[in-house]
Amino acid sequence: MVLDAKIPDGPLAEKWTRHRFDLKLVNPANKRKYNIIIVGTGLAGASAAASLAELGYNVNTFSYHESPRRAHSIAAQGGINAAKNYPNDGDSIFRLFYDTIKGGDYRSREANVYRLAEVSNAIIDQCVAQGVPFAREYGGLLDNRSFGGAQVSRTFYARGQTGQQLLLGAYSAFVRQMKSGKVKFHPRHEMLDLVLVDGHAKGIITRNLVTGEIRSHAADAVILATGGYGNVFFLSTNAMASNATAIWRAHKKGAFFANPCFTQIHPTCIPLSSDHQSKLTLMSESLRNDGRVWVPKKKGDSRSPNDIPEEERDYYLERIYPSFGNLVPRDVASRRAKEMCDTGHGVGPTGLAVYLDFKDVIARNGKQWVADKYGNLFDMYKQITGENPYDVPMRIYPAVHYTMGGLWVDYNLMSTIPGLFVLGEANFSDHGANRLGASALMQGLADGYFIIPYTIGDYLAKHPGGGTDTNQGSFKTTTQEVEEKLNQLLAVDGSQTVDEIHKKLGHILWEYVGMARNREGLEKALKLIPQLRETFWKEVKVPGTVNELNPELEKAGRVADFLELGELMARDALHREESCGGHFREEYQTEENEALRNDEQFTYVAAWEFRGPGEPAKLHKEDLIFENVELTTRSYK
């Protein structure tokens, strides 16, 4: 298959405008004839459902939560980027585009990223109209703060609850359409497979997580907005239920998986405290606006941080990167924190932490000023650690956070399966090898509010609706396959719990496919993961039955997918013989230990095709063409 990204011709700043005119339209009276399935009701899914229903389409939405308000989008606390330039500090659509391309280490499409920057301002207007309570400055304009990878202040925020407030805005629009009857919401339903009819996505198979009922659902197009796959590592900042099942099952039906090794390690997380921990907690990147990162200059210094004088502290990010300081991108800050700990300068009981200190800003602006901006984050830290960050520095360490890889999509956000669209973190499209902070919320809402309403109409206009129902053979065959897999999981009746095996997978991935990778480790992972997968299918213990509430069965299906996805991540990381963004191969680094790209051989999207159980995936390449930015070694000094 030739990967056609369907990028429009013409100047970069005119591509999206021209493309919208060229897209075919569905007559307003005909929209009610089309049915659309949306899986996932976070920011991308809820905004898409509200927007498409408002246009007149019939929308069926599915979530494994009992309410869209439970989506993991609420965890994106720090803010959302837009190029409004309210601070008058030199921002522009092109600068936001450039910072995002550079932050992703030149491994994303120019056209997609420019469109994202272009619609960013409309996102803010939309959310303000919905009543999202963004912070405001004295003159009444919306306030902005800085985030990593930028030298301007373009991040709009609602204290430390931005994701939650944005989701409530999208949720209110979503509920309005539920009330009108244009959106039907199916809570506590998990998608277990995609149904194809004549090669097109025409429905899904779900399991009711309360009753265990398996049902099929037909539509004229399917949208996946199910988030990322960071929980493949077991420990991550993701909610524990976050998983990859929807996109992975679609991948096994023919949707190419792009850049799976591009995973982001967030530098501002509460360090691991014990082996019994089930997840990690993210402290918002917004804290790096006013907090200063440091370690003791003396190795193994066990003194209280307040007892260490200024001259014995190493503010290493400010020292190494004077232009950006504590606001370097996440991949850079994470690697430097690991380096400090690896060389003996780490702090805390485990030595795997660095300090994030607010002493200076409290002295400068007062405790109340800090509490007004970050109070809920400080309260959360104190609840978890028992330490008061107003009095002593926070301890932070990198942790798995966001995934830039995902299902391959073209400019219209359609996968390699016709009729299957993928939004938000579930696709690969906008962030390249590293996502800048405050860009996840931006992409999810851009995809849902302003892109998919145009592009899905083009597909539907070319394919008359209403011709698919669940009595067709594909639905029955796929339902049978789903039931067989569930029964297979229950029939193993081994001696190891799902979590035990998942922890082992996470350990392999963190050690060999984590923050730093090398050929020897990746080849070892590619031996260990298949062995662990074999153990899973021989030794996993899943109690209960299919036809009941059974969380262990849910987890088992997800871990089965993670065991396959983890292998693909290692394979992708092994083939990409360069360092770029969050993908850091130890063999490929500059003299200053920064990422060393290989633009001659790897300026492409790696899109993997599923070839069958036990068969290596087939690599397809989408060449990345850069006409508006110069490929340079990233520098934040």
Side-chain angles (χ1 to χ4, degrees), residues 7 11 17 40 74 99 143 155 194 221 241 266 273 325 406 468 522 532 584 622 630:
I7 297 172
T17 301
I74 67 169
D99 286 346
D143 198 12
T155 303
L194 180 73
H266 198 296
S273 60
T468 305
L522 291 167
L532 184 61
F584 192 75
E622 177 203 337
E630 181 183 354

mmCIF file with all atom_site columns, all heavy atoms in Angstrom, residues 7 11 17 40 74 99 143 155 194 221 241 266 273 325 406 468 522 532 584 622 630:
data_model
loop_
_atom_site.group_PDB
_atom_site.id
_atom_site.type_symbol
_atom_site.label_atom_id
_atom_site.label_alt_id
_atom_site.label_comp_id
_atom_site.label_asym_id
_atom_site.label_entity_id
_atom_site.label_seq_id
_atom_site.pdbx_PDB_ins_code
_atom_site.Cartn_x
_atom_site.Cartn_y
_atom_site.Cartn_z
_atom_site.occupancy
_atom_site.B_iso_or_equiv
_atom_site.pdbx_formal_charge
_atom_site.auth_seq_id
_atom_site.auth_comp_id
_atom_site.auth_asym_id
_atom_site.auth_atom_id
_atom_site.pdbx_PDB_model_num
ATOM 1   N N   . ILE A 1 7   ? -2.148  15.488  1.600  1.00 0.00 ? 7   ILE A N   1
ATOM 2   C CA  . ILE A 1 7   ? -1.811  16.860  1.974  1.00 0.00 ? 7   ILE A CA  1
ATOM 3   C C   . ILE A 1 7   ? -2.134  17.788  0.803  1.00 0.00 ? 7   ILE A C   1
ATOM 4   O O   . ILE A 1 7   ? -1.713  17.546  -0.324 1.00 0.00 ? 7   ILE A O   1
ATOM 5   C CB  . ILE A 1 7   ? -0.326  16.965  2.354  1.00 0.00 ? 7   ILE A CB  1
ATOM 6   C CG1 . ILE A 1 7   ? -0.043  16.098  3.596  1.00 0.00 ? 7   ILE A CG1 1
ATOM 7   C CG2 . ILE A 1 7   ? 0.070   18.412  2.618  1.00 0.00 ? 7   ILE A CG2 1
ATOM 8   C CD1 . ILE A 1 7   ? 1.416   15.977  3.940  1.00 0.00 ? 7   ILE A CD1 1
ATOM 9   N N   . PRO A 1 11  ? 0.453   27.089  -0.795 1.00 0.00 ? 11  PRO A N   1
ATOM 10  C CA  . PRO A 1 11  ? 1.239   27.603  0.333  1.00 0.00 ? 11  PRO A CA  1
ATOM 11  C C   . PRO A 1 11  ? 0.750   27.044  1.662  1.00 0.00 ? 11  PRO A C   1
ATOM 12  O O   . PRO A 1 11  ? -0.448  26.770  1.836  1.00 0.00 ? 11  PRO A O   1
ATOM 13  C CB  . PRO A 1 11  ? 1.020   29.120  0.253  1.00 0.00 ? 11  PRO A CB  1
ATOM 14  C CG  . PRO A 1 11  ? 0.575   29.376  -1.148 1.00 0.00 ? 11  PRO A CG  1
ATOM 15  C CD  . PRO A 1 11  ? -0.175  28.162  -1.582 1.00 0.00 ? 11  PRO A CD  1
ATOM 16  N N   . THR A 1 17  ? -7.527  26.161  4.348  1.00 0.00 ? 17  THR A N   1
ATOM 17  C CA  . THR A 1 17  ? -8.631  26.934  3.767  1.00 0.00 ? 17  THR A CA  1
ATOM 18  C C   . THR A 1 17  ? -9.021  26.378  2.412  1.00 0.00 ? 17  THR A C   1
ATOM 19  O O   . THR A 1 17  ? -10.211 26.188  2.114  1.00 0.00 ? 17  THR A O   1
ATOM 20  C CB  . THR A 1 17  ? -8.245  28.412  3.650  1.00 0.00 ? 17  THR A CB  1
ATOM 21  O OG1 . THR A 1 17  ? -7.921  28.918  4.948  1.00 0.00 ? 17  THR A OG1 1
ATOM 22  C CG2 . THR A 1 17  ? -9.376  29.229  3.051  1.00 0.00 ? 17  THR A CG2 1
ATOM 23  N N   . GLY A 1 40  ? -14.834 6.590   22.873 1.00 0.00 ? 40  GLY A N   1
ATOM 24  C CA  . GLY A 1 40  ? -14.060 7.494   23.713 1.00 0.00 ? 40  GLY A CA  1
ATOM 25  C C   . GLY A 1 40  ? -14.769 8.823   23.849 1.00 0.00 ? 40  GLY A C   1
ATOM 26  O O   . GLY A 1 40  ? -15.235 9.397   22.856 1.00 0.00 ? 40  GLY A O   1
ATOM 27  N N   . ILE A 1 74  ? -9.004  15.065  32.058 1.00 0.00 ? 74  ILE A N   1
ATOM 28  C CA  . ILE A 1 74  ? -8.999  15.953  33.223 1.00 0.00 ? 74  ILE A CA  1
ATOM 29  C C   . ILE A 1 74  ? -7.618  16.045  33.855 1.00 0.00 ? 74  ILE A C   1
ATOM 30  O O   . ILE A 1 74  ? -7.339  16.972  34.622 1.00 0.00 ? 74  ILE A O   1
ATOM 31  C CB  . ILE A 1 74  ? -10.011 15.505  34.306 1.00 0.00 ? 74  ILE A CB  1
ATOM 32  C CG1 . ILE A 1 74  ? -9.599  14.152  34.934 1.00 0.00 ? 74  ILE A CG1 1
ATOM 33  C CG2 . ILE A 1 74  ? -11.407 15.437  33.745 1.00 0.00 ? 74  ILE A CG2 1
ATOM 34  C CD1 . ILE A 1 74  ? -10.382 13.797  36.173 1.00 0.00 ? 74  ILE A CD1 1
ATOM 35  N N   . ASP A 1 99  ? 7.633   26.175  16.798 1.00 0.00 ? 99  ASP A N   1
ATOM 36  C CA  . ASP A 1 99  ? 7.993   25.595  18.092 1.00 0.00 ? 99  ASP A CA  1
ATOM 37  C C   . ASP A 1 99  ? 7.528   24.147  18.196 1.00 0.00 ? 99  ASP A C   1
ATOM 38  O O   . ASP A 1 99  ? 8.204   23.306  18.804 1.00 0.00 ? 99  ASP A O   1
ATOM 39  C CB  . ASP A 1 99  ? 7.372   26.413  19.233 1.00 0.00 ? 99  ASP A CB  1
ATOM 40  C CG  . ASP A 1 99  ? 8.077   27.745  19.451 1.00 0.00 ? 99  ASP A CG  1
ATOM 41  O OD1 . ASP A 1 99  ? 9.189   27.929  18.915 1.00 0.00 ? 99  ASP A OD1 1
ATOM 42  O OD2 . ASP A 1 99  ? 7.507   28.612  20.147 1.00 0.00 ? 99  ASP A OD2 1
ATOM 43  N N   . ASP A 1 143 ? -5.353  35.337  30.759 1.00 0.00 ? 143 ASP A N   1
ATOM 44  C CA  . ASP A 1 143 ? -3.954  35.317  31.170 1.00 0.00 ? 143 ASP A CA  1
ATOM 45  C C   . ASP A 1 143 ? -3.215  34.196  30.450 1.00 0.00 ? 143 ASP A C   1
ATOM 46  O O   . ASP A 1 143 ? -3.821  33.223  29.984 1.00 0.00 ? 143 ASP A O   1
ATOM 47  C CB  . ASP A 1 143 ? -3.872  35.122  32.687 1.00 0.00 ? 143 ASP A CB  1
ATOM 48  C CG  . ASP A 1 143 ? -2.512  35.522  33.245 1.00 0.00 ? 143 ASP A CG  1
ATOM 49  O OD1 . ASP A 1 143 ? -1.733  36.149  32.508 1.00 0.00 ? 143 ASP A OD1 1
ATOM 50  O OD2 . ASP A 1 143 ? -2.240  35.201  34.415 1.00 0.00 ? 143 ASP A OD2 1
ATOM 51  N N   . THR A 1 155 ? 0.252   29.862  26.891 1.00 0.00 ? 155 THR A N   1
ATOM 52  C CA  . THR A 1 155 ? -0.528  28.785  27.490 1.00 0.00 ? 155 THR A CA  1
ATOM 53  C C   . THR A 1 155 ? -1.662  29.363  28.327 1.00 0.00 ? 155 THR A C   1
ATOM 54  O O   . THR A 1 155 ? -1.426  30.017  29.345 1.00 0.00 ? 155 THR A O   1
ATOM 55  C CB  . THR A 1 155 ? 0.370   27.883  28.341 1.00 0.00 ? 155 THR A CB  1
ATOM 56  O OG1 . THR A 1 155 ? 1.436   27.378  27.531 1.00 0.00 ? 155 THR A OG1 1
ATOM 57  C CG2 . THR A 1 155 ? -0.424  26.721  28.897 1.00 0.00 ? 155 THR A CG2 1
ATOM 58  N N   . LEU A 1 194 ? -13.310 -4.089  15.761 1.00 0.00 ? 194 LEU A N   1
ATOM 59  C CA  . LEU A 1 194 ? -13.837 -3.267  14.676 1.00 0.00 ? 194 LEU A CA  1
ATOM 60  C C   . LEU A 1 194 ? -14.446 -4.185  13.628 1.00 0.00 ? 194 LEU A C   1
ATOM 61  O O   . LEU A 1 194 ? -13.901 -5.252  13.332 1.00 0.00 ? 194 LEU A O   1
ATOM 62  C CB  . LEU A 1 194 ? -12.699 -2.441  14.066 1.00 0.00 ? 194 LEU A CB  1
ATOM 63  C CG  . LEU A 1 194 ? -13.039 -1.514  12.904 1.00 0.00 ? 194 LEU A CG  1
ATOM 64  C CD1 . LEU A 1 194 ? -13.822 -0.308  13.405 1.00 0.00 ? 194 LEU A CD1 1
ATOM 65  C CD2 . LEU A 1 194 ? -11.743 -1.055  12.213 1.00 0.00 ? 194 LEU A CD2 1
ATOM 66  N N   . ALA A 1 221 ? -19.716 5.347   9.642  1.00 0.00 ? 221 ALA A N   1
ATOM 67  C CA  . ALA A 1 221 ? -18.299 5.638   9.866  1.00 0.00 ? 221 ALA A CA  1
ATOM 68  C C   . ALA A 1 221 ? -18.020 5.461   11.350 1.00 0.00 ? 221 ALA A C   1
ATOM 69  O O   . ALA A 1 221 ? -18.926 5.543   12.182 1.00 0.00 ? 221 ALA A O   1
ATOM 70  C CB  . ALA A 1 221 ? -17.944 7.052   9.421  1.00 0.00 ? 221 ALA A CB  1
ATOM 71  N N   . ALA A 1 241 ? -7.160  2.661   33.983 1.00 0.00 ? 241 ALA A N   1
ATOM 72  C CA  . ALA A 1 241 ? -7.989  2.010   32.969 1.00 0.00 ? 241 ALA A CA  1
ATOM 73  C C   . ALA A 1 241 ? -7.584  2.376   31.549 1.00 0.00 ? 241 ALA A C   1
ATOM 74  O O   . ALA A 1 241 ? -8.061  1.756   30.592 1.00 0.00 ? 241 ALA A O   1
ATOM 75  C CB  . ALA A 1 241 ? -9.466  2.360   33.192 1.00 0.00 ? 241 ALA A CB  1
ATOM 76  N N   . HIS A 1 266 ? 7.718   12.249  31.085 1.00 0.00 ? 266 HIS A N   1
ATOM 77  C CA  . HIS A 1 266 ? 7.464   13.571  31.656 1.00 0.00 ? 266 HIS A CA  1
ATOM 78  C C   . HIS A 1 266 ? 8.413   13.807  32.827 1.00 0.00 ? 266 HIS A C   1
ATOM 79  O O   . HIS A 1 266 ? 8.529   12.948  33.702 1.00 0.00 ? 266 HIS A O   1
ATOM 80  C CB  . HIS A 1 266 ? 6.008   13.670  32.125 1.00 0.00 ? 266 HIS A CB  1
ATOM 81  C CG  . HIS A 1 266 ? 5.529   15.071  32.334 1.00 0.00 ? 266 HIS A CG  1
ATOM 82  N ND1 . HIS A 1 266 ? 6.068   15.904  33.287 1.00 0.00 ? 266 HIS A ND1 1
ATOM 83  C CD2 . HIS A 1 266 ? 4.552   15.781  31.721 1.00 0.00 ? 266 HIS A CD2 1
ATOM 84  C CE1 . HIS A 1 266 ? 5.444   17.070  33.245 1.00 0.00 ? 266 HIS A CE1 1
ATOM 85  N NE2 . HIS A 1 266 ? 4.528   17.032  32.309 1.00 0.00 ? 266 HIS A NE2 1
ATOM 86  N N   . SER A 1 273 ? 7.574   5.321   45.086 1.00 0.00 ? 273 SER A N   1
ATOM 87  C CA  . SER A 1 273 ? 7.872   5.147   46.510 1.00 0.00 ? 273 SER A CA  1
ATOM 88  C C   . SER A 1 273 ? 7.993   3.687   46.925 1.00 0.00 ? 273 SER A C   1
ATOM 89  O O   . SER A 1 273 ? 8.679   3.373   47.898 1.00 0.00 ? 273 SER A O   1
ATOM 90  C CB  . SER A 1 273 ? 6.801   5.827   47.370 1.00 0.00 ? 273 SER A CB  1
ATOM 91  O OG  . SER A 1 273 ? 5.520   5.262   47.114 1.00 0.00 ? 273 SER A OG  1
ATOM 92  N N   . GLY A 1 325 ? 16.358  27.633  30.211 1.00 0.00 ? 325 GLY A N   1
ATOM 93  C CA  . GLY A 1 325 ? 16.384  27.326  31.636 1.00 0.00 ? 325 GLY A CA  1
ATOM 94  C C   . GLY A 1 325 ? 15.497  26.154  32.004 1.00 0.00 ? 325 GLY A C   1
ATOM 95  O O   . GLY A 1 325 ? 15.563  25.078  31.394 1.00 0.00 ? 325 GLY A O   1
ATOM 96  N N   . GLY A 1 406 ? 0.723   6.244   17.374 1.00 0.00 ? 406 GLY A N   1
ATOM 97  C CA  . GLY A 1 406 ? -0.704  5.911   17.338 1.00 0.00 ? 406 GLY A CA  1
ATOM 98  C C   . GLY A 1 406 ? -1.071  5.443   15.951 1.00 0.00 ? 406 GLY A C   1
ATOM 99  O O   . GLY A 1 406 ? -0.198  5.240   15.096 1.00 0.00 ? 406 GLY A O   1
ATOM 100 N N   . THR A 1 468 ? -25.942 -0.396  6.134  1.00 0.00 ? 468 THR A N   1
ATOM 101 C CA  . THR A 1 468 ? -25.301 -1.397  6.977  1.00 0.00 ? 468 THR A CA  1
ATOM 102 C C   . THR A 1 468 ? -26.169 -1.710  8.180  1.00 0.00 ? 468 THR A C   1
ATOM 103 O O   . THR A 1 468 ? -26.719 -0.809  8.808  1.00 0.00 ? 468 THR A O   1
ATOM 104 C CB  . THR A 1 468 ? -23.928 -0.888  7.472  1.00 0.00 ? 468 THR A CB  1
ATOM 105 O OG1 . THR A 1 468 ? -23.143 -0.506  6.339  1.00 0.00 ? 468 THR A OG1 1
ATOM 106 C CG2 . THR A 1 468 ? -23.199 -1.962  8.256  1.00 0.00 ? 468 THR A CG2 1
ATOM 107 N N   . LEU A 1 522 ? 17.361  -3.511  23.209 1.00 0.00 ? 522 LEU A N   1
ATOM 108 C CA  . LEU A 1 522 ? 16.174  -3.705  22.378 1.00 0.00 ? 522 LEU A CA  1
ATOM 109 C C   . LEU A 1 522 ? 16.109  -5.139  21.855 1.00 0.00 ? 522 LEU A C   1
ATOM 110 O O   . LEU A 1 522 ? 15.028  -5.743  21.799 1.00 0.00 ? 522 LEU A O   1
ATOM 111 C CB  . LEU A 1 522 ? 16.183  -2.705  21.217 1.00 0.00 ? 522 LEU A CB  1
ATOM 112 C CG  . LEU A 1 522 ? 15.959  -1.245  21.634 1.00 0.00 ? 522 LEU A CG  1
ATOM 113 C CD1 . LEU A 1 522 ? 16.301  -0.302  20.486 1.00 0.00 ? 522 LEU A CD1 1
ATOM 114 C CD2 . LEU A 1 522 ? 14.515  -1.031  22.090 1.00 0.00 ? 522 LEU A CD2 1
ATOM 115 N N   . LEU A 1 532 ? 7.384   -13.777 27.501 1.00 0.00 ? 532 LEU A N   1
ATOM 116 C CA  . LEU A 1 532 ? 6.385   -13.381 28.493 1.00 0.00 ? 532 LEU A CA  1
ATOM 117 C C   . LEU A 1 532 ? 4.981   -13.556 27.934 1.00 0.00 ? 532 LEU A C   1
ATOM 118 O O   . LEU A 1 532 ? 4.060   -13.954 28.671 1.00 0.00 ? 532 LEU A O   1
ATOM 119 C CB  . LEU A 1 532 ? 6.622   -11.929 28.911 1.00 0.00 ? 532 LEU A CB  1
ATOM 120 C CG  . LEU A 1 532 ? 5.712   -11.404 30.030 1.00 0.00 ? 532 LEU A CG  1
ATOM 121 C CD1 . LEU A 1 532 ? 5.905   -12.205 31.315 1.00 0.00 ? 532 LEU A CD1 1
ATOM 122 C CD2 . LEU A 1 532 ? 5.976   -9.921  30.279 1.00 0.00 ? 532 LEU A CD2 1
ATOM 123 N N   . PHE A 1 584 ? 15.497  8.022   22.397 1.00 0.00 ? 584 PHE A N   1
ATOM 124 C CA  . PHE A 1 584 ? 16.918  8.299   22.619 1.00 0.00 ? 584 PHE A CA  1
ATOM 125 C C   . PHE A 1 584 ? 17.699  7.007   22.559 1.00 0.00 ? 584 PHE A C   1
ATOM 126 O O   . PHE A 1 584 ? 17.655  6.187   23.466 1.00 0.00 ? 584 PHE A O   1
ATOM 127 C CB  . PHE A 1 584 ? 17.122  8.982   23.970 1.00 0.00 ? 584 PHE A CB  1
ATOM 128 C CG  . PHE A 1 584 ? 18.500  9.552   24.142 1.00 0.00 ? 584 PHE A CG  1
ATOM 129 C CD1 . PHE A 1 584 ? 18.867  10.722  23.497 1.00 0.00 ? 584 PHE A CD1 1
ATOM 130 C CD2 . PHE A 1 584 ? 19.440  8.909   24.938 1.00 0.00 ? 584 PHE A CD2 1
ATOM 131 C CE1 . PHE A 1 584 ? 20.141  11.262  23.650 1.00 0.00 ? 584 PHE A CE1 1
ATOM 132 C CE2 . PHE A 1 584 ? 20.717  9.431   25.096 1.00 0.00 ? 584 PHE A CE2 1
ATOM 133 C CZ  . PHE A 1 584 ? 21.067  10.615  24.451 1.00 0.00 ? 584 PHE A CZ  1
ATOM 134 N N   . GLU A 1 622 ? 6.230   6.859   5.221  1.00 0.00 ? 622 GLU A N   1
ATOM 135 C CA  . GLU A 1 622 ? 5.693   8.096   4.658  1.00 0.00 ? 622 GLU A CA  1
ATOM 136 C C   . GLU A 1 622 ? 6.792   9.154   4.795  1.00 0.00 ? 622 GLU A C   1
ATOM 137 O O   . GLU A 1 622 ? 7.119   9.590   5.899  1.00 0.00 ? 622 GLU A O   1
ATOM 138 C CB  . GLU A 1 622 ? 4.442   8.566   5.414  1.00 0.00 ? 622 GLU A CB  1
ATOM 139 C CG  . GLU A 1 622 ? 3.912   9.888   4.888  1.00 0.00 ? 622 GLU A CG  1
ATOM 140 C CD  . GLU A 1 622 ? 3.061   10.664  5.885  1.00 0.00 ? 622 GLU A CD  1
ATOM 141 O OE1 . GLU A 1 622 ? 2.500   10.053  6.809  1.00 0.00 ? 622 GLU A OE1 1
ATOM 142 O OE2 . GLU A 1 622 ? 2.983   11.903  5.740  1.00 0.00 ? 622 GLU A OE2 1
ATOM 143 N N   . GLU A 1 630 ? 13.856  24.779  8.386  1.00 0.00 ? 630 GLU A N   1
ATOM 144 C CA  . GLU A 1 630 ? 15.161  24.177  8.121  1.00 0.00 ? 630 GLU A CA  1
ATOM 145 C C   . GLU A 1 630 ? 15.441  23.114  9.175  1.00 0.00 ? 630 GLU A C   1
ATOM 146 O O   . GLU A 1 630 ? 15.265  23.360  10.376 1.00 0.00 ? 630 GLU A O   1
ATOM 147 C CB  . GLU A 1 630 ? 16.250  25.249  8.152  1.00 0.00 ? 630 GLU A CB  1
ATOM 148 C CG  . GLU A 1 630 ? 17.645  24.725  7.858  1.00 0.00 ? 630 GLU A CG  1
ATOM 149 C CD  . GLU A 1 630 ? 18.700  25.792  7.964  1.00 0.00 ? 630 GLU A CD  1
ATOM 150 O OE1 . GLU A 1 630 ? 18.328  26.969  8.152  1.00 0.00 ? 630 GLU A OE1 1
ATOM 151 O OE2 . GLU A 1 630 ? 19.903  25.457  7.873  1.00 0.00 ? 630 GLU A OE2 1
#
